[in-house]
Amino acid sequence: MSCEEDAERLQGDLDKLSNLLAIGILSRGKCGLSKCITRYMVAMAAADLLVIIFDVLLYEINYMYFSYSFLDYTPVCNLNMALTVATIDCSVWLTVAFTFDRFITICCQRLRTKYCTERTAAIVIATVFGLSFAENIPIYFETEHLEMINNTAWSCPLKSTSSSSPASVAYFFIDITLTPFAPFLLIVLLNALTIRHIVRASRVRRGLRENNNREIHNDPEMENRRKSIILLLAISSSFILLWMVTFVDYICTHFAGILFTLTDYNDPFAIMEHTGYMLQRLSSCTNTFIYAVAQAKFREELKNLLKYPWTQIVRLVASKIKT
């Protein structure tokens, strides 16, 4: 288990560092992106950082390394569980919101000037955060203590009656429909429509330029579209690939009725469950690397940020030598 625990801790540190870097760099607004896109990217990085804090650091690492800590008190455990699910929902639905914003920008020219604004982005982000936290309030009340020690309640497994209560069954069905089924299908649909529109528009534009006997190379409009689609597809494809195992796992366990034991590592469905968890958490740090690959100005700002402490040290040493 030690290798798994070390990997969990390393992943948590990597995810937290990458998201902090993304928030710091994007917040400066020097990456050549519109304020609308920047708001979505900062919000996505912040939501991913919250997932790492509540899910990996306060839940998984606490469970592995610090048994019977303050975080294992039942009320605290209940709150952390609700916040964990809420932040995951935020991260997922902000990815959907970003994909929808890019779809409007590229495919709906009439709506672009009204919808794709900094103000609209702020409203959408606030709405996603608010609804995600409100929708997961019932989770706080769907757990019970595991044991009582010195009149203190510890741990917070789901209530044994949750699986039989009609209200609880309905709630959890709606919950898994909202995350991950609806976002998964929406992202696939929006990407398909966006790609189809770009392919058609590119063919028309190329045909017009050829008819006008102009050079078809170095077209600024085509270059901007190419960069937009690379960024959009990179973020969306990353989400789809890293959530695919969890998506299949949900279908097997909730709809196909396949039962398995999480602790039986010889069970292929148990292996799939743990693999899905690992990839799902990994998705909380991939966007930063996508920005670095797809955005030249982001890479430049990242280099400047990494070089800044050393340049300050060199300047300080040089000033001391002169004096």
Side-chain angles (χ1 to χ4, degrees):
M1 261 316 265
S2 60
C3 292
E4 182 180 347
E5 292 171 356
D6 292 340
E8 192 80 37
R9 175 184 287 181
L10 179 61
Q11 181 182 357
D13 293 339
L14 176 63
D15 293 353
K16 183 168 65 174
L17 177 60
S18 64
N19 285 302
L20 285 172
L21 283 173
I23 293 172
I25 293 172
L26 292 170
S27 297
R28 299 182 64 188
K30 297 182 178 180
C31 295
L33 301 171
S34 68
K35 292 182 179 180
C36 177
I37 297 177
T38 300
R39 276 190 179 270
Y40 279 114
M41 289 184 170
V42 171
M44 290 161 64
D48 290 340
L49 179 60
L50 291 175
V51 172
I52 300 307
I53 292 174
F54 290 113
D55 189 14
V56 178
L57 299 181
L58 298 184
Y59 182 76
E60 292 293 342
I61 292 181
N62 172 70
Y63 171 77
M64 292 179 178
Y65 290 96
F66 308 103
S67 299
Y68 295 99
S69 69
F70 168 76
L71 294 171
D72 291 316
Y73 292 153
T74 297
V76 179
C77 183
N78 288 346
L79 179 62
N80 187 54
M81 179 178 292
L83 290 175
T84 295
V85 181
T87 53
I88 291 174
D89 287 351
C90 283
S91 177
V92 170
W93 279 100
L94 284 173
T95 303
V96 176
F98 172 78
T99 306
F100 182 73
D101 179 86
R102 295 299 86 199
F103 167 76
I104 295 295
T105 300
I106 296 172
C107 303
C108 306
Q109 298 297 318
R110 293 182 180 180
L111 292 177
R112 182 174 64 178
T113 55
K114 294 183 179 180
Y115 182 83
C116 302
T117 63
E118 186 178 8
R119 182 176 179 275
T120 302
I123 293 174
V124 171
I125 291 167
T127 302
V128 169
F129 271 92
L131 291 178
S132 296
F133 282 94
E135 188 255 333
N136 287 287
I137 290 176
I139 292 179
Y140 183 91
F141 303 99
E142 287 294 330
T143 59
E144 59 186 357
H145 65 272
L146 181 64
E147 55 185 339
M148 294 288 294
I149 301 176
N150 297 327
N151 294 323
T152 302
W154 292 90
S155 194
C156 55
L158 288 175
K159 292 179 180 178
S160 56
T161 57
S162 294
S163 58
S164 57
S165 169
S168 297
V169 171
Y171 171 76
F172 284 109
F173 177 80
I174 294 173
D175 185 60
I176 64 172
T177 301
L178 292 176
T179 306
F181 288 102
F184 195 92
L185 296 176
L186 282 172
I187 288 176
V188 172
L189 175 62
L190 290 172
N191 278 331
L193 293 174
T194 303
I195 292 172
R196 186 183 68 171
H197 178 86
I198 288 178
V199 170
R200 288 182 175 179
S202 299
R203 288 176 179 172
V204 172
R205 188 173 181 84
R206 188 178 295 110
L208 291 174
R209 292 178 66 86
E210 288 177 351
N211 291 335
N212 292 332
N213 295 322
R214 296 178 181 176
E215 291 291 331
I216 62 174
H217 303 290
N218 301 323
D219 186 346
E221 180 67 21
M222 296 295 293
E223 185 65 20
N224 289 335
R225 290 182 182 179
R226 187 184 69 84
K227 291 180 179 180
S228 295
I229 198 63
I230 288 175
L231 182 61
L232 171 65
L233 290 182
I235 293 176
S236 301
S237 300
S238 170
F239 172 84
I240 292 171
L241 291 174
L242 293 176
W243 274 81
M244 178 66 76
V245 177
T246 299
F247 185 79
V248 174
D249 173 70
Y250 269 69
I251 293 175
C252 292
T253 56
H254 292 85
F255 293 97
I258 297 175
L259 301 177
F260 58 90
T261 305
L262 281 173
T263 55
D264 183 6
Y265 293 100
N266 294 319
D267 190 326
F269 291 101
I271 295 173
M272 180 174 66
E273 175 91 350
H274 286 282
T275 303
Y277 284 154
M278 180 189 69
L279 294 176
Q280 177 186 323
R281 290 159 186 155
L282 182 63
S283 69
S284 297
C285 76
T286 53
N287 284 349
T288 305
F289 298 102
I290 291 172
Y291 305 154
V293 171
Q295 298 290 322
K297 290 187 178 181
F298 184 92
R299 293 195 298 271
E300 183 180 345
E301 287 294 310
L302 178 60
K303 291 177 183 177
N304 293 336
L305 180 64
L306 295 177
K307 290 190 296 184
Y308 180 78
W310 303 106
T311 56
Q312 294 302 310
I313 292 174
V314 171
R315 289 180 181 177
L316 179 62
V317 171
S319 63
K320 293 292 183 181
I321 294 175
K322 290 181 180 179
T323 56

